[in-house]
Amino acid sequence: LSWKGHSGWVSDVAFVPPTITATPAPMIVSTANDKSVCIWDLSKSLEHSGHPVRTFMNRTWHTSGIFSMHTLDDLVMTGSKDGVVRQLQLGSRGMDLVAEYATHAGVVKCVRVRDAHTYASCGNDRNIHMVDVRAPESPAVEISGAYKSVINSLEWCPWDANLLVSASFDPDLLLHDVRRVSKPVKVLRGHLAGSRSKRIQSPRFVGTRDRPHVIIPSEDGLVLYDVVTGDILSKG
């Protein structure tokens, strides 16, 4: 199943939990560089094209393209080129704007939800912010100076709520403990042959609680890092 749902490149797509909607039909939410947030009903299709039916769309919450979107249950967080992170809430009739957070001085490249109250974001200002939405006046945690280039990606460890991996155009991935942010707990190095990545890197946690790993694409395939030691376990 594929269709043209946006007038700009699509930044993220996520399934809507069936408990949120008024119907058990499979639905997804999508964001794109055209500033829009959309919800699609995959069980219905347009007669003239066969494409899924769009049940919701908003293009006014952000003033520039949406670079990142992440969901947790009915919580949706979006990060945009306008430098703002917005908190949205899914419901049976679509989506509502809950709050906005302007903690970055530039494009927000990535936003990742940790739990119902906490998210992390990063961007062109080369800062990583962890924000508690119950006290959003300033970031609960700020990591600055870790990279020479803009920060493109973040990912929370699913087995350790304090562990966060980040990536920029720099050759290293950094593992951060948000309780102690003076320096990274591990530097993952070796997946790039040069001194700068030519593309956005998106590391992901894989493995188990007892054996956590980070995986990332390289020029030659996939590289798997041991989170505990920082060593490369496999490459190719």
Side-chain angles (χ1 to χ4, degrees):
L1 181 63
S2 65
W3 70 98
K4 184 176 176 59
H6 293 271
S7 59
W9 47 263
V10 176
S11 52
D12 278 300
V13 175
F15 279 99
V16 177
T19 55
I20 303 301
T21 60
T23 170
M27 305 184 79
I28 62 172
V29 56
S30 63
T31 54
N33 196 41
D34 61 7
K35 304 185 293 184
S36 67
V37 182
C38 298
I39 299 177
W40 307 86
D41 188 336
L42 302 185
S43 69
K44 300 177 182 179
S45 58
L46 298 173
E47 184 176 347
H48 66 280
S49 66
H51 296 170
V53 172
R54 185 175 60 205
T55 63
F56 175 87
M57 182 179 70
N58 182 284
R59 280 184 175 169
T60 63
W61 287 332
H62 285 286
T63 59
S64 298
I66 300 173
F67 223 111
S68 179
M69 181 261 295
H70 197 223
T71 66
L72 177 67
D73 299 326
D74 64 344
L75 172 64
V76 178
M77 303 296 293
T78 57
S80 168
K81 292 179 177 179
D82 61 15
V84 177
V85 172
R86 282 176 169 80
Q87 179 182 349
L88 314 174
Q89 184 172 17
L90 287 163
S92 58
R93 293 184 294 179
M95 210 178 309
D96 294 308
L97 176 64
V98 177
E100 60 181 50
Y101 311 100
T103 66
H104 286 280
V107 174
V108 178
K109 286 289 190 67
C110 185
V111 57
R112 286 293 179 263
V113 179
R114 187 182 74 173
D115 53 51
H117 306 295
T118 314
Y119 75 86
S121 58
C122 64
N124 284 6
D125 60 4
R126 297 183 296 165
N127 292 329
I128 298 172
H129 292 167
M130 188 180 83
V131 175
D132 187 328
V133 300
R134 296 166 296 185
E137 293 79 14
S138 60
V141 173
E142 181 172 350
I143 303 172
S144 59
Y147 288 102
K148 296 179 180 178
S149 61
V150 301
I151 306 174
N152 297 315
S153 303
L154 299 171
E155 188 77 9
W156 289 104
C157 178
W159 309 289
D160 185 342
N162 296 304
L163 194 62
L164 184 71
V165 64
S166 62
S168 74
F169 289 118
D170 294 359
D172 301 332
L173 306 179
L174 302 181
L175 286 170
H176 312 273
D177 186 325
V178 295
R179 298 167 298 184
R180 299 180 293 274
V181 298
S182 58
K183 63 179 182 179
V185 294
K186 281 289 182 299
V187 176
L188 307 181
R189 182 175 299 157
H191 59 283
L192 291 180
S195 59
R196 179 179 170 87
S197 175
K198 298 178 181 178
R199 60 182 64 89
I200 290 178
Q201 306 178 82
S202 297
R204 293 291 182 266
F205 283 97
V206 296
T208 64
R209 182 183 299 274
D210 296 331
R211 298 188 64 187
H213 307 316
V214 166
I215 193 168
I216 188 167
S218 71
E219 291 91 342
D220 302 320
L222 294 174
V223 174
L224 187 69
Y225 287 100
D226 187 309
V227 168
V228 177
T229 65
D231 296 334
I232 292 178
L233 299 176
S234 65
K235 187 174 184 179

